[in-house]
Amino acid sequence: MVVVFALVALVVLAAFAALHRYAWLRLVRDTTRGPGLARRTGTVVMVAGPLLMVAALVAERAGAPFWLQRVLGWPGFLWMALSLYLLLALLAGEVVRPLVARLVERRARTKDTAPIPAPVPAGTAPTEPKPEPEPERETAAREEPSSSSRRLFVSRVVGGAVAAAAVGTVGYGTYGVLRGPAVKRVTVPLAKLPRSAHGFRIAVVSDIHLGPVLGRSFAQRVVDTINSTQPDLIAVVGDLVDGSVKDLGPAAAPLAQLRARHGSYFVTGNHEYFSGADQWVEEVRRLGLHPLENARTELPAFDLAGVNDLAGESEGEGPDFTRALGDRDTSRAVVLLAHQPVQVHEAVKHHVDLQLSGHTHGGQLWPGNFIAAATNPTLAGLDRYGDTQLYVSRGAGAWGPPTRVGAPSDITVIELASTQA
C-alpha cells in the first residue's frame, strides 16, 4: 500500500513539474531574447511559485507554527489558483497562436511587397525604377532575423494575453471572497410545518474556513452579514476552521456576536476533524452556539437535528442518524443539519423533511464544479430526494486559495413555508 501511494505521489509530482515546465517554456523562454534579467526573473517566479504552494499545503497539514502558515499561505495558495488558470489560458493560447502568427505573417508580407515610389524631381517625367538584384546571402540574412522577430512578437502577444487573463481571473475571484458572501433567499415549503411557523427564517452558513488566510476580519464580515438578515435561527453547517483552537480562537471570536431569536446551532464538517473537533465543539459552545452532535432539539414549530460529519468515523465520532432522529414524533417536521450532501440518503431513510448542507463550495474554482458535481448528489441549491428536500450552500469562505471562480460565496436565508397557510 505504501509503495502504491509512493508511486502515485511520484506520478503526480512528475505531472506537476511537467506542467510548470510547459508554462515556463511558453511564458518565459519563448518571450525573451536569450539569457538576461527578464528570463532570470521569470524563471525565479516559475520555480518559487510551486515551491511556495507545496510549502503552504505541508505547513497547514503538519501544524507548523501559525506565523509560518500565514507567511506561506497567501503566496502559496494564490499560486495554486493562478497556476490553474495559467494552464487553462495557455491551452487556449495554443489554439489562438497559429491564427496570430498567420495574421502577423500576412501583414509582414504585405509590407515587404508594397512598392515604394522613388521621388520625382519637379519638371521631369517619372521613370520606372530598375531594382538592382541583391546577393542571395544578404537576402537570406535579412529574412532570418525578420522571421525570428515575428515569432518573438507572436509569443509575447499570446503570453501577455495568457498572463493577463489568468491574473485578472484570480484577482477578481479573490476580491469576490474578501468582500464577503452575498445573501440568498430561498423559500422551502414543508407539509408538516404548522401555520404559526409560516415564514420562519433560518440563516444557513457553511465552509467559512477560518485559517492562515481568512482570519478575524473575515469572520466579523460573515457575522455582520448574518445578523443583518435578522434570522429566527442560525445554522452553521461545518468546516468553520482550518487550524487549532490555539491558533484560530481569536479569529473565531466574532461568532459570539451571532444573534437569532431561537439561537445558533453548529455541526462538524470534515475539516473540524483535521483541526481538533472536540476542542472546537467546546469552543463554539463557549462562544454561545449549540453543537448538535448526533442530537436533536425540539423547537416550538419543528424539530432541529444535527449529525456529525462522515470524517468523524475514523475517530469513533461519525454520524448516528438513529441517535439524532429516533424516538421522535413523526407528525412534526424535522430539519437536519449535516455537512455533506451525500448524507441525504440516510436522511431519506429517517424521513427527514429538510436537510441543510454545505461542503461542495459549488466547485469553488471552475472547472472544479464538474468534479464536485460528480462526487456529490447536489452541487448547490435546492433539490429533492423522495420526501426529503436538500439545500446545499456554496459556503461563505474558501479552502486553499481565497478565490472563487464561477461559484460565488453565499449565506442563505431559508424561509420555511407552511402548506397549511
Side-chain angles (χ1 to χ4, degrees):
M1 188 67 182
V2 175
V3 175
V4 173
F5 179 80
L7 288 174
V8 170
L10 285 174
V11 170
V12 171
L13 285 174
F16 185 72
L19 291 174
H20 275 80
R21 174 170 170 75
Y22 163 62
W24 177 83
L25 290 173
R26 282 307 198 193
L27 296 176
V28 179
R29 189 198 66 176
D30 291 354
T31 61
T32 53
R33 292 183 183 272
L37 179 61
R39 182 170 291 189
R40 286 196 298 271
T41 302
T43 301
V44 168
V45 171
M46 295 301 294
V47 172
L51 290 178
L52 284 169
M53 186 188 81
V54 173
L57 286 168
V58 171
E60 184 181 277
R61 283 287 179 257
F66 194 59
W67 66 267
L68 181 59
Q69 293 185 45
R70 296 183 67 180
V71 168
L72 296 172
W74 272 101
F77 288 129
L78 281 178
W79 184 262
M80 184 187 294
L82 186 61
S83 59
L84 169 64
Y85 291 106
L86 279 174
L87 176 62
L88 293 175
L90 280 169
L91 294 176
E94 296 298 344
V95 177
V96 175
R97 184 182 298 272
L99 302 177
V100 176
R102 194 173 303 168
L103 289 173
V104 171
E105 184 71 26
R106 184 178 300 172
R107 183 176 179 182
R109 287 178 182 174
T110 302
K111 184 177 180 181
D112 290 342
T113 57
I116 303 176
V120 179
T124 61
T127 58
E128 289 289 333
K130 294 182 179 181
E132 296 182 5
E134 297 180 357
E136 291 184 4
R137 291 179 183 177
E138 294 181 6
T139 302
R142 283 201 309 273
E143 287 178 354
E144 183 59 33
S146 176
S147 175
S148 176
S149 297
R150 287 196 291 270
R151 285 196 299 270
L152 181 62
F153 176 75
V154 170
S155 293
R156 286 178 173 176
V157 168
V158 176
V162 164
V167 171
T169 299
V170 173
Y172 185 74
T174 302
Y175 168 74
V177 171
L178 297 182
R179 72 182 174 187
V183 175
K184 288 182 61 179
R185 298 181 185 275
V186 177
T187 299
V188 179
L190 297 181
K192 298 178 184 177
L193 191 72
R195 184 180 303 178
S196 60
H198 183 76
F200 190 98
R201 290 168 299 164
I202 304 174
V204 182
V205 60
S206 73
D207 302 280
I208 299 175
H209 285 288
L210 299 178
V213 176
L214 299 177
R216 185 185 180 106
S217 61
F218 183 76
Q220 187 66 61
R221 194 170 295 116
V222 170
V223 167
D224 291 343
T225 302
I226 294 173
N227 286 342
S228 71
T229 67
Q230 299 181 321
D232 296 304
L233 183 145
I234 298 168
V236 182
V237 288
D239 280 8
L240 171 64
V241 292
D242 285 303
S244 66
V245 172
K246 176 186 174 183
D247 292 334
L248 294 173
L255 294 175
Q257 303 169 24
L258 288 171
R259 295 290 180 267
R261 187 158 56 101
H262 291 277
S264 302
Y265 292 84
F266 170 81
V267 291
T268 55
N270 54 307
H271 282 247
E272 270 71 59
Y273 291 97
F274 307 149
S275 307
D278 291 340
Q279 291 84 359
W280 274 112
V281 166
E282 291 307 312
E283 180 65 10
V284 297
R285 182 179 283 116
R286 188 185 70 80
L287 293 172
L289 283 75
H290 307 288
L292 290 173
E293 299 182 274
N294 298 321
R296 181 178 76 255
T297 185
E298 293 185 2
L299 300 176
F302 61 91
D303 291 345
L304 181 70
V307 291
N308 294 346
D309 186 72
L310 292 164
E313 291 177 344
S314 61
E315 300 181 23
E317 300 176 2
D320 187 337
F321 285 81
T322 300
R323 180 178 163 191
L325 297 166
D327 300 325
R328 68 179 185 87
D329 183 354
T330 55
S331 68
R332 285 168 55 88
V334 60
V335 175
L336 174 70
L337 311 184
H339 178 63
Q340 297 194 39
V342 72
Q343 294 173 281
V344 73
H345 302 303
E346 283 296 320
V348 171
K349 295 177 184 178
H350 289 81
H351 310 290
V352 168
D353 297 281
L354 172 64
Q355 176 177 316
L356 303 176
S357 299
H359 185 62
T360 69
H361 296 209
Q364 186 168 328
L365 296 172
W366 183 93
N369 56 303
F370 296 110
I371 299 173
T375 55
N376 291 279
T378 296
L379 179 65
L382 186 63
D383 213 338
R384 177 180 285 276
Y385 295 84
D387 293 329
T388 300
Q389 295 184 79
L390 168 67
Y391 181 80
V392 181
S393 168
R394 287 191 296 254
W399 177 83
T403 310
R404 285 174 171 263
V405 177
S409 57
D410 67 61
I411 290 168
T412 305
V413 176
I414 298 288
E415 184 170 314
L416 303 181
S418 172
T419 58
Q420 305 169 28

